[in-house]
Amino acid sequence: MFVEAMLIDMHPDDVTRLAGKSFEEIATDRGVRVLSAMHVLATDNVSADVEIRRGEHLLPPQHAPSPEIELRQDAHDVRFEVRPRLVEGDAVLLRVVLELDGWPTHLPHLFISSVIVRNRQFVPFRTDFPARDGRLVVLLVKPEILRDQEGWRRFLERRKTRPRDAGPASPSSRGHGRTHPQTG
């Protein structure tokens, strides 16, 4: 399974505007600031994670959605962990863990949630981590099921042409996340 994720900050009232947009469209939205973009390959029901350390580029040039997106270094650590589990047909149960350390409040933050989402649809997780100017951090996650060689071939073709992503899952399929501010 290929799992793509994007960490953004935006005004909490604007999260509903994400419906029907691709990751690229969201990244170029004037009301959105991209903090990080990442992806992992994961096996069914096995955790996979990505860590980005202080001072590393958070948005590699090959993943930048447009020239307007500024590549920058940030003063925080990010750890994204996902455990995808096939539950039926084209549905995936995603268990996500997001840890931010050192930004924006210099206190570690932990977010854990689970959700069932359809193949190639993304779901936004409102983390309630504070950001600048009344904004908050939102995690977007999109799984893609790769069952066999043919699935891999189609996946690689789509990655070359980057067609429009499916929009977010319906509100009824969203998980209930827990945000745990932690002190160091």
Side-chain angles (χ1 to χ4, degrees), residues 61-126:
Q62 71 273 16
H63 202 53
S66 75
E68 299 101 48
I69 301 299
E70 177 185 340
L71 294 178
R72 62 190 190 85
Q73 296 181 343
D74 222 327
H76 67 281
D77 293 338
V78 175
R79 188 176 80 82
F80 168 69
E81 178 184 323
V82 63
R83 178 180 216 129
R85 193 178 89 213
L86 294 170
V87 289
E88 64 177 58
D90 70 343
V92 178
L93 171 64
L94 292 176
R95 180 184 183 276
V96 299
V97 176
L98 177 67
E99 291 181 68
L100 290 180
D101 183 21
W103 182 91
T105 62
H106 301 290
L107 294 175
H109 295 280
L110 176 65
F111 174 82
I112 301 170
S113 187
S114 294
V115 65
I116 294 178
V117 64
R118 295 282 172 213
N119 188 35
R120 295 178 46 208
Q121 289 188 327
F122 74 83
V123 60
F125 293 95
R126 291 177 51 148

Side-chain angles (χ1 to χ4, degrees), residues 137-152:
V137 175
V138 176
L139 173 65
L140 307 174
V141 182
K142 179 180 77 167
E144 181 156 353
I145 301 168
L146 304 170
R147 296 182 196 275
D148 54 25
Q149 289 283 49
E150 182 61 23
W152 273 98

